[in-house]
Amino acid sequence: MDFAFGPEDERFRTEARDWLAEHFTGPFTALEQEPGGHPGEARGDMTARRAWERELGTGGWIGLGWDRTDGAYGNRAATLTQQVVWAEEYARAGAPGRLGHIGENLLAPTLLAHGDLAQRARFLPPIARAEELWCQGYSEPDAGSDLAGLRTRAVRDPGEGTYRITGQKIWTSLAHEADWCFVLARTEEGSQRHHGLSFLLVPMDQPGRIEVRPIRQLTGTAEFNEVFFDGAVARAEHLVGGAGHGWRVAMSLLAVERGVSTLVQQIGFAQELSRVVRLALETGAAEEPVLRDRLIRQWAELKAMRWNALRTLGAAQKPAPNPSPARNSAPNPARDPAPNDARDPAPRKGAAHDLPPGSANSQAPGPQAPGPRDPGPQDPGAPSVAKLLWGGWHQRLGELAVQVRGAAAALGPARWTAGRPYELDAFQRLFLFSRADTIYGGSDEIQRTIIAERVLHLPKESRR
């Protein structure tokens, strides 16, 4: 893929750089991104972070590249290369991790692919203006990586025309800050596995019906949450993709975490690596041959990840072999088979079909009404390869970040007190949080199973 930046891209770069220089100032600079930072982090002044999101929305920098077939939603038009330019300049400026990334990067593409016109008109403009923040209701305590084993139920009230949701979700990023949650729930009585699921948009402000409990982590923060639904209400017009078709919508959402987003992630990784290298030079650790070799290996592996991301992105831009159906056509079961066909009528826990939330480990199934804009890559194993590459790489970077500091890495940045008993510096947070990189978003074991079964077509492992 030719990924050179042309004159229009460079003009866009100048515009982005000038805007950031003018607006990422004053109190916003206290939010500057540090090593170990990530979009879902709960550190920092959340009021200021919301204000920064609104600043981005006012400037039209949220939703770059969204499909504009049905009109704009308050954001700028941008080509693929211009989206990368913006990501580079945003990272260069040290701007903070995005609070609105779940709505912008996960829900919005899903509504553009599967939502109706009314749903897009209702939800996309507030996302583009940063007026509504979203969280993702997928994982459940007893399902683990087995997303199809979820037990949260949504019952249709024939009188009111609403759904009443009961159940529990877990590892829900920023649920304590979110205004809305997209929830995968079972809506057909007696259904099993991926059948009978629906994708519902649920307001979080329902006292007595929705309870959020933060989960404290190694880093001392609590960006993940348990969410309990006790008769929570979702309106019928906020059902996306049709009743019983939630699995397709959910898989389509999981598949969008790649491409430009992968390149954006690697830009942040490059900055983290640069800081670790500078630290190694300052401490003299770079003179130690084994550590120096590991630093060089980290740099080389990051380059390999970039080229792999470009290769995948180039493949995703190729026309699909079969044209998508008309945007408002009805689903056709003969044309759009269920994700698990007759060859695998009862997938087991941990199978390639059982994909965890927030991962880039799934290729979306065929399009479903109004399904016109499938962003899936041509290679079904590409997202799993990408997850394996970056998860292990980032975890090793966290290990390097403490190794180059030596014994000083065991000390906190300030004296511990009763009022502040758990202070960490940026490199300690990087080390501790990256321990989970090979687990969340689809564990390494799940990714290898997907590659073995879907790409290499190896015999399926016996599961009892």
Side-chain angles (χ1 to χ4, degrees), residues 70 391 398:
D70 300 319

Side-chain angles (χ1 to χ4, degrees), residues 200-456:
L200 292 158
L201 310 179
V202 184
M204 292 292 287
D205 186 15
Q206 299 191 47
R209 292 174 176 169
I210 298 180
E211 179 184 0
V212 178
R213 298 180 190 172
I215 301 172
R216 189 70 55 185
Q217 293 133 224
L218 279 173
T219 53
T221 56
E223 41 269 284
F224 299 119
N225 302 269
E226 296 177 281
V227 182
F228 298 86
F229 299 92
D230 185 8
V233 178
R235 294 164 58 177
E237 59 265 35
H238 295 164
L239 173 71
V240 179
H245 297 298
W247 183 258
R248 288 190 180 279
V249 179
M251 292 299 98
S252 175
L253 183 145
L254 292 180
V256 303
E257 291 187 274
R258 67 177 181 290
V260 172
S261 63
T262 302
L263 290 170
V264 170
Q265 179 190 53
Q266 291 167 11
I267 293 166
F269 285 172
Q271 288 201 325
E272 290 181 344
L273 177 59
S274 294
R275 297 190 187 193
V276 173
V277 170
R278 285 198 300 271
L279 180 63
L281 293 171
E282 292 169 2
T283 61
E287 299 300 320
E288 203 281 314
V290 174
L291 272 178
R292 186 169 64 247
D293 180 72
R294 289 193 62 186
L295 289 167
I296 294 171
R297 184 177 294 273
Q298 286 289 126
W299 176 86
E301 289 176 350
L302 184 59
K303 289 293 184 182
M305 281 197 292
R306 175 175 174 79
W307 291 116
N308 181 67
L310 289 172
R311 178 189 64 83
T312 304
L313 192 57
Q317 303 307 305
K318 295 177 181 177
N322 295 315
S324 298
R327 199 160 38 238
N328 294 314
S329 63
N332 184 335
R335 182 189 62 218
D336 299 328
N340 301 301
D341 59 23
R343 291 172 294 175
D344 187 15
R348 279 76 54 189
K349 183 173 182 177
H353 311 85
D354 305 327
L355 304 173
S359 67
N361 60 1
S362 158
Q363 181 184 12
Q368 183 213 347
R373 304 155 181 166
D374 173 29
Q378 302 292 322
D379 180 358
S384 292
V385 170
K387 176 59 171 65
L388 282 172
L389 289 174
W390 75 254
W393 184 92
H394 200 231
Q395 194 173 86
R396 292 190 295 276
L397 181 67
E399 294 167 356
L400 270 174
V402 296
Q403 285 182 337
V404 299
R405 294 186 61 195
L411 300 176
R415 184 180 294 276
W416 289 17
T417 66
R420 304 183 71 177
Y422 199 72
E423 290 293 306
L424 300 172
D425 64 30
F427 292 107
Q428 290 168 332
R429 284 194 298 271
L430 171 60
F431 169 71
L432 291 174
F433 194 89
S434 64
R435 306 315 299 165
D437 282 343
T438 54
I439 301 173
Y440 73 81
S443 69
D444 281 8
E445 291 78 8
I446 292 290
Q447 307 308 326
R448 291 189 177 99
T449 297
I450 292 171
I451 293 169
E453 294 183 357
R454 293 190 178 186
V455 180
L456 302 178

